[in-house]
Amino acid sequence: NKTLSIIGGYTGTTPEPGGMVSNPAATVVDAQQNGRVMYIVTANNVVLSNLTFSGGNDSPGLGLNINNSSVRAVDCAIQDNKKTSAGVKGGGLYVNGGTSVFERCSFLRNTIVDNSWQANYGGAVYHNAGALELRSCVLAGNRVNEEGNNNYGHGGAVYAGSAGRLRLYNCLIRDNFVGGTQSTYSEAITCADAVGPVSIENCTVVANFPRGINRRAAGTVSITNSIVWNNGDDDLVGAINLSYSSVGDTNTGTGVIHSDPQFAQGYYLADGSPCTNAGSDSAVNIGLAGLYAQTNTSDALQVDLGYHHLPALSVTNIYVSPSGVDATGTGAAAAPYRSVTKALAMASEHARINIE
């Protein structure tokens, strides 16, 4: 019953382990396409922090497989894991029993590929059993059957196929993809037959393909204080308990609106968005006070709908001018680039390119 902590992010300088680096998941555990990155089985009180799990290719759970264990992961990244096969479960994470919480973690660019008629499940996460909670996480760019033809996949981001409990709280789920010609049950979040209770709270589910969220048959799926918008053919499929949310479909419920959320950069809410102050309770009671659904206004009153970013929006200005020089310019107003191509190459997320 002792706690095992695996903590990355240190500089490794004397005196060891040195200070912490600014990148929260700087320590990379890379399987280099030679098996699974990490397997945790029948272990209690495991803490993972400041780690990146990448390069895994063994199913289930290419990056991380948790089996009947109690795990808390904070500021970790599960990314760039890939397997070409049929019947793969969990391109990033697989959970089968126990209780696991992932907080401020990212699940990025995990990929499952297959060219057969077999199904693959959960581009980022496959939840099979136990209790799993994702808090303030980002799931983006995960893909199932990306190169497939006559195949089908379930859950470009998340596949919930258990009788356990799954909670998605304050998560951004965007740009996840399911390919193949057999599109039945293909969406960002698939809640399978006899699924346990699934709760989606203050999440933004946007720009996924070919659909958003699907409750296939039995089980309870509840969505509240969320935004489900612009997800291919359908935002919501099946009987879902929906309240205090903005959806692009015609689904109804208490406090449900169908207005354009008016996203700003990186899926913040622009000033004047109908999703501000539209939630079921105060930001304090929901636990999101001080975080940013809007670009530069922290939530303090009635909770805003959707994902709340940890920092306010910070825009980097990059300047382009006919008098600029790509080779020696910095992109600052006093030392602009000459070409838009150079500016785009140097731009980070939330950058603004100013062209003279």
Side-chain angles (χ1 to χ4, degrees), residues 276-298:
T276 58
N277 300 318
S280 63
D281 203 341
S282 69
V284 171
N285 290 341
I286 296 294
L288 295 173
L291 301 185
Y292 291 81
Q294 300 178 65
T295 52
N296 289 293
T297 304
S298 62

Side-chain angles (χ1 to χ4, degrees), residues 104-177:
R104 298 193 306 274
C105 294
S106 60
F107 299 79
L108 309 175
R109 302 179 301 276
N110 299 290
T111 303
I112 304 170
V113 181
D114 178 41
N115 283 301
S116 73
W117 284 92
Q118 301 299 312
N120 288 311
Y121 308 86
V125 176
Y126 187 108
H127 176 225
N128 191 57
L132 172 62
E133 181 171 350
L134 305 184
R135 300 177 57 89
S136 299
C137 293
V138 175
L139 298 84
N142 302 285
R143 308 178 77 87
V144 177
N145 293 339
E146 176 186 11
E147 300 169 6
N149 295 312
N150 294 322
N151 53 26
Y152 55 99
H154 307 297
V158 178
Y159 184 85
S162 75
R165 177 182 179 272
L166 173 63
R167 185 188 187 207
L168 305 178
Y169 170 77
N170 194 42
C171 292
L172 174 61
I173 301 167
R174 64 169 180 85
D175 299 297
N176 300 284
F177 175 87

Side-chain angles (χ1 to χ4, degrees), residues 43-329:
N44 292 321
N45 304 321
V46 177
V47 176
L48 306 173
S49 179
N50 301 94
L51 300 168
T52 292
F53 300 88
S54 66
N57 73 342
D58 191 13
S59 176
L62 310 186
L64 182 59
N65 183 317
I66 299 173
N67 198 329
N68 294 315
S69 299
S70 173
V71 176
R72 182 171 183 263
V74 181
D75 293 325
C76 290
I78 301 179
Q79 64 187 44
D80 299 315
N81 300 283
K82 181 176 181 178
K83 185 173 181 65
T84 302
S85 184
V88 177
K89 297 179 178 180
L93 169 68
Y94 178 85
V95 175
N96 182 40
T99 301
S100 295
V101 177
F102 284 72
E103 186 169 2
R104 298 193 306 274
C105 294
S106 60
F107 299 79
L108 309 175
R109 302 179 301 276
N110 299 290
T111 303
I112 304 170
V113 181
D114 178 41
N115 283 301
S116 73
W117 284 92
Q118 301 299 312
N120 288 311
Y121 308 86
V125 176
Y126 187 108
H127 176 225
N128 191 57
L132 172 62
E133 181 171 350
L134 305 184
R135 300 177 57 89
S136 299
C137 293
V138 175
L139 298 84
N142 302 285
R143 308 178 77 87
V144 177
N145 293 339
E146 176 186 11
E147 300 169 6
N149 295 312
N150 294 322
N151 53 26
Y152 55 99
H154 307 297
V158 178
Y159 184 85
S162 75
R165 177 182 179 272
L166 173 63
R167 185 188 187 207
L168 305 178
Y169 170 77
N170 194 42
C171 292
L172 174 61
I173 301 167
R174 64 169 180 85
D175 299 297
N176 300 284
F177 175 87
V178 181
T181 59
Q182 309 301 312
S183 60
T184 303
Y185 309 142
S186 296
E187 47 279 317
I189 302 173
T190 300
C191 304
D193 301 337
V195 71
V198 174
S199 179
I200 300 172
E201 308 163 31
N202 273 101
C203 292
T204 296
V205 182
V206 62
N208 300 284
F209 182 86
R211 297 189 291 187
I213 302 170
N214 182 7
R215 173 190 176 270
R216 281 173 51 176
T220 301
V221 178
S222 300
I223 301 174
T224 187
N225 296 329
S226 295
I227 300 172
V228 188
W229 197 263
N230 191 30
N231 295 284
D233 295 335
D234 288 293
D235 288 315
L236 300 174
V237 181
I240 294 173
N241 298 328
L242 180 68
S243 63
Y244 295 98
S245 295
S246 177
V247 297
D249 288 350
T250 58
N251 306 69
T252 60
T254 302
V256 173
I257 60 176
H258 305 281
S259 303
D260 186 340
Q262 300 179 24
F263 290 119
Q265 297 185 53
Y267 296 109
Y268 288 84
L269 299 176
D271 293 342
S273 166
C275 296
T276 58
N277 300 318
S280 63
D281 203 341
S282 69
V284 171
N285 290 341
I286 296 294
L288 295 173
L291 301 185
Y292 291 81
Q294 300 178 65
T295 52
N296 289 293
T297 304
S298 62
D299 208 348
L301 303 175
Q302 200 76 0
V303 71
D304 297 333
L305 303 184
Y307 175 66
H308 286 53
H309 303 252
L310 301 183
L313 175 63
S314 177
V315 176
T316 300
N317 283 292
I318 298 176
Y319 293 88
V320 176
S321 170
S323 63
V325 181
D326 285 351
T328 59

